[in-house]
């Protein structure tokens, strides 16, 4: 990528720093620019403070040829961006006659008298390029230096900013770009579960040099570690597709037993596809997850094809009454045990007449743990016909994380059990054919 195409994004507003407003603007800008081969190298957020804005813009212009700022172009006392950047570029603000007339006409159409403070929205730094904004009162502005660096100022209102990015900013950047052979930035995500990030990194370390010019990023989360393969625009579309397909195949060879999907695929959807293809139904029995597993399954459109329902048995008494867990089992082994989770899975399968069942019991915390069963101890069970599988986990994190990880672990156990059953069926079928 040409250094001329380096981009930095600065989002401005106290509400962003306070967490009252989620910064969706920066994410949108990065995605849109990536589709045209522009890589956002740094993103910065600052408050409505003139010194902070000036410092952020000045620093960004030292590193990048294009700086895009959103926010601080309104008519209120805390909108400093335009005046600060104009001063930084050594230029004065002046009333733009056409903008002023458009502003007045906008208020006339709405039957509202324009306040005196709105006049500042018709002010433009001398020599700036004006980017018309039909969706709002603040236009976009482009200020340029003698060495062809530029700062693009956009309103912070998401709808207005997005329209300006697509209709004005991208065409402007493409016209001034030094790289006429730019290709879009593409990425593909490989999703894993049941393996730690460090273990993933160890397994794929030898592969990394061969991926160049592609890069591989590790994205750990509750559900597992995602691997994002990225092509940064150096490859033409055909070469990009071939390189990314080869990288995905290599990852499949190294991590196949842990890979359940790609891009935005959710494990619950993958399991649902398995159940639908095999014409199997499923029911769930939950304790510590309190319905989260059922929620994951039913978030998938069409899950009524295979999901019969579930039972939340938080107390020992309900485990006995609704699932048929034996009182003796609970006394001898405790609610968080392999013996109890087995009876939970079999109980919900028998009572719902489901083909498959999943059960979860555990200690989500923050209290209730012991030396033998610390917080995070979770047992899951999966019954597929006569095949009953159980697994014990000691999951890290706070209460929410443990519950999320437990639901994912239960889905992963069903996924692997169904995958093994499919493999055995294919082997048996092939043997008959031979």
């Amino acid at each position: 990528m040409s250094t001329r195409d380096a981009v930095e994004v600065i989002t401005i507003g106290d509400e962003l720093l306070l967490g009252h407003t989620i910064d969706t603007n920066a994410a949108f800008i990065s995605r849109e620019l990536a589709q045209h081969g522009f890589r956002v190298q740094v993103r910065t957020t600052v408050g409505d403070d003139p010194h902070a804005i000036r410092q952020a813009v000045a620093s960004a212009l030292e590193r990048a040829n294009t700086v895009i700022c959103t926010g601080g172009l309104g008519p209120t006392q805390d909108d400093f961006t335009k005046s600060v950047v104009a001063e930084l570029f050594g230029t004065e603000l002046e009333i733009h006659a056409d903008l002023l007339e458009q502003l007045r006409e906008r208020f006339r159409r709405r039957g509202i008298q324009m306040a005196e403070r709105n006049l500042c929205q018709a002010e433009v730094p001398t020599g700036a390029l004006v980017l018309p904004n039909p969706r709002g009162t603040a236009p976009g502005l482009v200020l340029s230096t003698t060495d062809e660096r530029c700062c693009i100022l956009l309103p912070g209102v998401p709808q207005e900013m997005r329209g300006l990015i697509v209709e004005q900013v991208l065409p402007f950047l493409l016209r001034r770009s030094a790289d006429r052979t730019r290709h879009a930035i593409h990425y593909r995500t490989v999703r894993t579960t049941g393996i730690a990030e460090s273990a993933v990194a160890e397994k794929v370390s030898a592969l990394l040099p061969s991926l160049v010019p592609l890069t591989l990023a590790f994205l750990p989360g509750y559900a597992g570690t995602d691997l994002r393969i990225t092509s940064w625009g150096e490859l033409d579309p055909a070469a990009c597709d071939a390189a990314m397909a080869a990288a995905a195949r290599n990852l499949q060879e190294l991590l196949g037993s842990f890979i359940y999907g790609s891009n935005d695929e959710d494990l619950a959807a993958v399991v649902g596809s398995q159940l639908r293809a095999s014409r199997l139904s499923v029911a769930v029995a939950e304790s510590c997850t309190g319905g989260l597993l059922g929620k994951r399954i039913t978030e998938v459109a069409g899950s009524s094809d295979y999901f019969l329902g579930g039972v939340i048995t938080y107390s020992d008494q309900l485990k006995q009454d609704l699932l048929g867990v034996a009182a003796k089992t609970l006394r001898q082994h405790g609610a968080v045990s392999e013996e109890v989770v087995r009876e939970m899975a079999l109980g919900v399968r028998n009572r719902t007449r489901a083909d498959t069942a999943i059960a979860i019991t555990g200690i989500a915390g923050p209290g209730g743990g012991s030396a033998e069963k610390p917080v995070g101890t979770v047992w899951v069970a999966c019954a597929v016909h006569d095949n009953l599988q159980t697994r014990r986990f000691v999951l890290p994190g706070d209460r929410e994380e443990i519950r999320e990880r437990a639901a994912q672990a239960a889905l992963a156990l069903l996924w692997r059990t169904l995958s093994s059953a499919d493999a055995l069926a294919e082997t048996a079928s092939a043997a008959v054919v031979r």
Side-chain angles (χ1 to χ4, degrees), residues 73-80 82-83 95 100 103 107 113-123 137:
L73 299 184
T76 59
Q77 290 90 338
D78 60 351
D79 290 312
F80 301 110
K82 185 164 51 180
S83 58
I95 293 291
L100 180 58
L103 199 59
F107 278 92
Q113 171 138 8
M114 189 176 81
E116 192 71 19
R117 290 205 61 85
N118 285 106
L119 286 173
C120 69
Q121 294 188 285
E123 292 181 335
T137 56

Side-chain angles (χ1 to χ4, degrees), residues 166-335:
V166 173
E167 298 165 4
Q168 301 286 343
V169 175
L170 279 170
F172 168 78
L173 293 177
L174 290 168
R175 286 194 300 270
R176 75 189 285 268
S177 171
D179 185 358
R180 299 298 178 184
T181 61
R182 174 186 299 101
H183 303 293
I185 297 172
H186 289 287
Y187 64 89
R188 178 183 298 187
T189 304
V190 175
R191 312 205 70 183
T192 73
T193 193
I195 181 171
E197 179 189 11
S198 57
V200 173
E202 185 175 337
K203 284 180 176 290
V204 305
S205 59
L207 175 64
L208 298 181
S210 66
L211 292 177
V212 178
L214 306 182
T215 61
L216 188 68
F218 299 84
L219 310 172
Y222 296 160
T225 299
D226 291 344
L227 300 171
R228 189 184 61 223
I229 311 164
T230 304
S231 172
W232 294 102
E234 296 92 341
L235 303 175
D236 63 54
C240 173
D241 288 345
M244 297 190 82
R249 285 195 300 271
N250 289 332
L251 289 173
Q252 183 68 43
E253 291 178 6
L254 294 169
L255 300 165
S257 61
F258 300 103
I259 294 174
Y260 66 84
S262 61
N263 297 329
D264 295 327
E265 271 187 303
D266 182 73
L267 183 55
V270 173
V271 168
S273 296
Q274 290 177 305
L275 292 167
R276 185 182 289 110
S278 301
R279 297 184 178 180
L280 298 175
S281 59
V282 65
V284 301
E286 303 183 60
S287 183
C288 65
T289 46
L292 183 57
L293 178 58
K295 177 177 180 291
R296 286 281 303 274
I297 293 173
T298 55
E299 281 177 336
V300 179
S303 55
S304 58
D305 291 346
Y306 47 82
F307 184 62
L308 299 185
V311 181
I312 301 173
T313 53
Y314 219 59
S315 70
D316 287 358
Q317 191 61 54
L318 279 187
K319 289 181 176 66
Q320 297 175 61
D321 295 345
L322 299 183
L323 298 176
V325 176
K328 181 179 178 181
T329 307
L330 287 161
R331 285 196 306 272
Q332 290 184 346
H333 304 284

Side-chain angles (χ1 to χ4, degrees), residues 50 149 248 394 398 412:
R149 295 175 185 267
V394 180
D398 59 20

Side-chain angles (χ1 to χ4, degrees), residues 280 342 345-346 349-350 354-357 382-390 417-418 421:
L280 298 175
R342 287 170 62 92
L346 293 174
R349 188 192 65 179
N350 294 338
D355 301 307
T356 68
C382 168
V384 178
H385 297 308
D386 295 328
N387 182 6
L388 180 61
Q389 300 284 330
T390 59
T417 305
L418 291 171

